[in-house]
């Protein structure tokens, strides 16, 4: 326990006369939330493993104070007392039936108690009663517009999945609008910025995959990190890691997953994501260097079978396939590719292996050209089961190249990567991929306190 753990048991600082017992209890409750939300202002990261225990200890101490003051507080204002005690019990991630009962009582006594509506919504959410949770946050908004209801409705709207694509898109757009409203109400609230980042991410995956949207997402997370409360929430770093993983900024993604684990060592998803990404990168590194582990005879057979006829539509002018302009693409070898976009160029090669990816997105494979040089290719927006197989010829127009080169946990990653976001432009075995082979991408976005 750190030297600053004395902050846990500082009840004496509040034991001063109060004319209003409910004002005193309010101060007590808010002190518990401040301790939880600003824990790392007074504790080092190594203390993170003890955070929940410290919060629970402080919760128990304050519940005793509520018991001691219950009679006087109920005589003053029953609704407010039930709300405050329910809010206190709600400070931990675990669902509390007692908190639900107290908050329900508070609302029955005072329908205009917005804070109680919001707390009850959180309570139902912890118990996976999402419809009831939504009703609570909407009930709060009917009484008063507030950022807490807005950002929670943003998250819940995006979790309300539907079999209908139209309904799903509507839910995602609704969630984005709620998040924007929350930020507008308080531009300095990091939690609202974090939710906005998640909303942009959902929009990118579920509605329109515009690179600008991903930039907005990262920008929102950066704003969130300016706030100490948001910056020390593990889910911010986890979701940022998901975004960076999709952008193939692998080093930063790994750091984000690790940061999420540091803020909550008991939470498994960030550790799992970090492990999976490291394995994915290790597999890429090995398969590129060994050219898919193919035997020499098999590899030579593939090299001999590469034929310019397999360029398919890219043998001719590519009007209406790329930019709508007449453009004869020039065939290039892998070693001739430059970083980023290679305009008016086309790469032809043979698939030597696929790379296992736990997420299934992107579909990843290794490609060799006629010189025997190998490169990794990641293809987004492919429908399940529609990837290429060993021996397929693949022509990639205007390839976008990234040179991956970094070190993480004493391991070095150094390879070239081609990223394909529009699979319909790929020519496989001389023919363009068909529309039914493409699909939208969906990703998991986390709210840690679920």
């Amino acid at each position: 326990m750190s030297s600053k753990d004395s902050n846990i048991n500082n009840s004496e600082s509040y034991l001063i006369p109060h004319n209003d017992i409910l004002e005193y209890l309010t101060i007590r409750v808010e002190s518990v939330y401040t301790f939880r939300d600003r824990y790392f202002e007074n504790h080092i990261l190594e203390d993170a493993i003890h955070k929940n225990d410290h919060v629970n200890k402080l919760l128990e101490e304050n519940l005793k104070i509520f018991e001691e003051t219950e009679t006087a507080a109920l005589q003053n204002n029953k609704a407010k007392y039930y709300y405050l005690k329910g809010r206190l019990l709600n400070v931990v991630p675990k669902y509390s039936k007692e908190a639900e009962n107290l908050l329900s009582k508070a609302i029955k006594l005072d329908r205009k108690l917005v804070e109680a509506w919001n707390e009850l919504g959180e309570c139902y959410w912890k118990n996976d009663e999402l419809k009831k949770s939504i009703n609570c946050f909407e009930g709060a908004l009917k009484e008063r517009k507030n950022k807490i209801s807005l950002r929670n409705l943003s998250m819940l709207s995006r979790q309300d999945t539907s079999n209908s694509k139209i309904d799903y898109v509507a839910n995602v757009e609704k969630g984005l609008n709620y998040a924007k409203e929350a930020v507008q109400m308080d531009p300095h609230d990091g939690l609202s910025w974090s939710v906005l980042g998640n909303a942009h991410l959902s929009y990118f995956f579920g509605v329109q995959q515009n690179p600008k949207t991903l930039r907005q997402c990262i920008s929102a997370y950066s704003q969130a990190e300016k706030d100490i409360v948001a910056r020390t929430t593990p889910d911010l770093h986890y979701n940022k890691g998901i975004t960076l993983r999709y952008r193939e900024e692998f080093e930063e993604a790994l750091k984000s997953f690790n940061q999420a684990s540091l803020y909550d060592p008991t939470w498994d998803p960030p550790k799992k994501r970090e492990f999976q990404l490291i394995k994915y990168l290790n597999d890429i590194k090995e398969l590129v260097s060994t050219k898919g582990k193919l035997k020499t005879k098999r590899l030579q057979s593939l090299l001999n079978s590469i034929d310019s006829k397999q360029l398919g539509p890219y043998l001719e002018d590519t009007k209406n396939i790329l930019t709508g302009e007449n453009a004869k693409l020039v065939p290039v070898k892998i070693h001739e590719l430059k970083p980023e976009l290679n305009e008016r160029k086309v790469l032809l090669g043979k698939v030597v292996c696929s790379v296992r990816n736990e997420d299934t997105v992107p579909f990843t494979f290794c490609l060799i050209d006629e010189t025997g040089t190998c490169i990794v290719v990641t293809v987004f927006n492919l429908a399940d089961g529609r990837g290429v197989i060993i021996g397929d010829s693949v022509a990639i127009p205007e390839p976008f190249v990234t040179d991956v080169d970094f070190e993480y946990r004493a391991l070095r990653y150094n390879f070239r990567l081609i990223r394909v976001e529009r699979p319909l432009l790929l020519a496989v075995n001389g023919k363009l991929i068909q529309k039914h082979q493409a699909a939208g991408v969906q990703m998991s976005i986390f709210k840690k306190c679920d």
Side-chain angles (χ1 to χ4, degrees), residues 340-359:
E340 299 194 353
L341 185 65
N342 289 263
E343 294 182 286
R344 303 294 176 90
K345 303 290 193 297
V346 59
L347 175 68
L348 176 65
K350 287 280 186 176
V351 178
V352 294
C353 69
S354 60
V355 182
R356 178 173 171 76
N357 183 3
E358 293 289 343
D359 287 333

Side-chain angles (χ1 to χ4, degrees), residues 370-398:
E370 59 187 292
T371 69
T373 306
C374 191
I375 194 168
V376 65
V377 180
T378 57
V379 185
F380 294 84
N381 304 319
L382 270 181
D384 288 344
R386 296 295 182 175
V388 294
I389 61 174
I390 295 174
D392 279 346
S393 298
V394 178
I396 306 174
E398 300 198 319

